[in-house]
């Protein structure tokens, strides 16, 4: 006969409170039923999908997507069914390895701050710069070309040959010669150059529509010549005229008056060259 405790007395005491405590999902389900709520009611109130509510009540936390989301869902569902969420979250942590240690904020910030940032070439800025350069070059070329072209046109209209290589000056000259549409003096007509054809059209007797073109067909003038007005045209080889009322017109070609008698109201088409005055 041995003296001491019996084997039954040596067995550890069982924690009846733990055995009686339901699981996290079971506790949420019982509280929902006690509150008279359906799964749909809880899902609508918490915005947690029905499938996730059913899985949590079955203690399946896989659809939650991780421990952090599982704790959030447990807290939300517990408040919806009038339970204190903290004991349920503590029970979940005890059953699933405990709450993970938080990541220190300072080392994480330092790692993000010192991490080298790779940047590719800024193609947008390069494209904008290239477009600006092209626009500037085109504008400068157009400005220079427009000035040179305008100078050449004014020289042709004034009976002068444009000088190659002469740069156009944007500053107007004070001693600019008279335009070909002005009225030349008698001395100017008499001193017409021999290597060009000079035609003066006057309207002493009335008005007339006239048209004048050079040897290339370029229009020198096209309009109404009023009574008392005159126009002078010059070209290197040929002037083509159309007179709407030839009877109102007097012509001087290369400094000499054309003696042809034109009828009033007659339309005349005339061509004059360096060897005239001979009516074309």
């Amino acid at each position: 006969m041995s003296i001491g405790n019996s084997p039954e007395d040596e067995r550890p005491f069982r924690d009846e409170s733990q055995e009686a405590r339901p699981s996290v999902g079971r506790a949420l389900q019982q509280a929902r039923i006690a509150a008279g709520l359906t799964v749909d009611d809880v899902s609508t109130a918490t915005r947690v999908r029905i499938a996730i509510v059913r899985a949590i009540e079955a203690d399946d936390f896989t659809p939650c997507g991780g421990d952090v989301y599982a704790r959030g869902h447990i807290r939300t569902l517990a408040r919806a069914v009038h339970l204190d969420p903290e004991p349920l979250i503590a029970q979940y942590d005890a059953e699933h390895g405990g709450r993970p240690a938080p990541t220190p904020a300072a080392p994480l910030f330092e790692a993000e701050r010192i991490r080298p940032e790779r940047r590719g070439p800024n193609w947008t800025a390069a494209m904008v710069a290239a477009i600006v350069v092209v626009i500037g070059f085109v504008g400068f070329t157009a400005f220079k070309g427009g000035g040179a072209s305008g100078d050449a046109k004014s020289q042709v209209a004034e009976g002068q040959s444009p000088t190659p290589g002469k740069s156009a000056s944007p500053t107007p000259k004070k001693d600019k010669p008279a335009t070909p549409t002005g009225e030349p003096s008698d001395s100017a007509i008499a001193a017409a150059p021999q290597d060009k054809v000079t035609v003066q059209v006057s309207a002493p007797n009335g008005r007339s529509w006239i048209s004048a073109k050079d040897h290339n067909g370029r229009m020198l003038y096209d309009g109404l010549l009023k009574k008392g007005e005159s126009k002078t045209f010059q070209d290197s080889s040929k002037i083509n005229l159309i007179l709407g009322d030839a009877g109102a017109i007097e012509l001087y070609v290369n400094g000499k008056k054309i003696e042809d008698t034109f009828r009033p109201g007659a339309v005349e088409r005339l061509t004059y060259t360096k060897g005239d005055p001979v009516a074309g």
Side-chain angles (χ1 to χ4, degrees):
M1 180 174 180
S2 61
I3 302 174
N5 296 327
S6 64
E8 293 182 356
D9 295 333
E10 293 177 356
R11 288 180 297 180
F13 294 101
R14 290 181 299 175
D15 190 351
E16 295 181 356
S17 62
Q18 290 184 357
E19 291 182 356
R21 184 173 61 181
S23 65
V24 174
R26 181 63 176 169
L28 291 172
Q29 184 183 44
Q30 291 176 350
R32 174 180 61 79
I33 295 173
L37 300 174
T38 64
V39 174
D40 291 345
D41 295 336
V42 173
S43 176
T44 302
T46 61
R47 298 182 182 273
V48 178
R49 296 199 304 271
I50 294 177
I52 295 179
V53 175
R54 293 186 184 277
I56 291 176
E57 289 187 354
D59 291 313
D60 180 9
F61 300 96
T62 303
C64 296
D67 292 338
V68 174
Y69 296 104
R71 293 185 186 92
H73 290 327
I74 292 171
R75 180 176 283 105
T76 301
L77 297 179
R79 290 172 179 171
V81 297
H82 312 297
L83 284 181
D84 183 6
E86 298 306 324
L88 296 178
I89 294 174
Q91 182 179 350
Y92 173 86
D93 291 338
E95 294 174 354
H96 293 82
R99 183 184 298 272
T103 302
L108 179 61
F109 173 76
E110 292 295 330
E112 290 294 335
R113 185 170 63 86
I114 65 175
R115 179 181 299 172
E117 182 179 0
R118 294 184 178 181
R119 293 184 178 180
N122 193 341
W123 294 110
T124 302
M127 288 294 293
V128 171
I131 291 173
V132 170
V133 172
V134 171
I135 292 175
F137 177 75
V138 171
F140 176 77
T141 304
F143 173 77
K144 296 294 288 182
S149 176
D151 184 67
K153 289 180 179 179
S154 63
Q155 290 179 1
V156 172
E158 294 165 7
Q160 301 176 4
S161 299
T163 303
K166 184 179 179 182
S167 61
S169 175
T171 305
K173 297 181 180 179
K174 295 182 180 180
D175 56 349
K176 184 177 180 181
T179 60
T181 58
E183 298 183 4
S185 63
D186 295 337
S187 60
I189 297 174
Q194 299 297 320
D195 59 340
K196 298 180 184 298
V197 55
T198 303
V199 177
Q200 182 194 27
V201 183
S202 302
N205 302 321
R207 62 180 185 175
S208 173
W209 171 83
I210 66 172
S211 172
K213 295 182 181 180
D214 63 8
H215 72 283
N216 290 322
R218 185 172 65 92
M219 184 67 69
L220 301 177
Y221 183 80
D222 183 14
L224 182 65
L225 191 66
K226 297 179 180 180
K227 183 178 180 179
E229 291 183 343
S230 65
K231 300 288 182 183
T232 301
F233 309 103
Q234 196 173 71
D235 189 68
S236 60
S237 60
K238 182 173 61 175
I239 296 291
N240 297 309
L241 291 176
I242 301 177
L243 307 178
D245 185 357
I249 296 299
E250 285 186 358
L251 295 176
Y252 288 84
V253 178
N254 297 325
K256 298 179 182 180
K257 185 178 181 180
I258 301 299
E259 299 296 343
D260 291 349
T261 303
F262 300 120
R263 292 176 301 163
V267 177
E268 295 289 343
R269 297 176 181 271
L270 307 170
T271 300
Y272 295 104
T273 63
K274 292 184 291 185
D276 291 327
V278 175

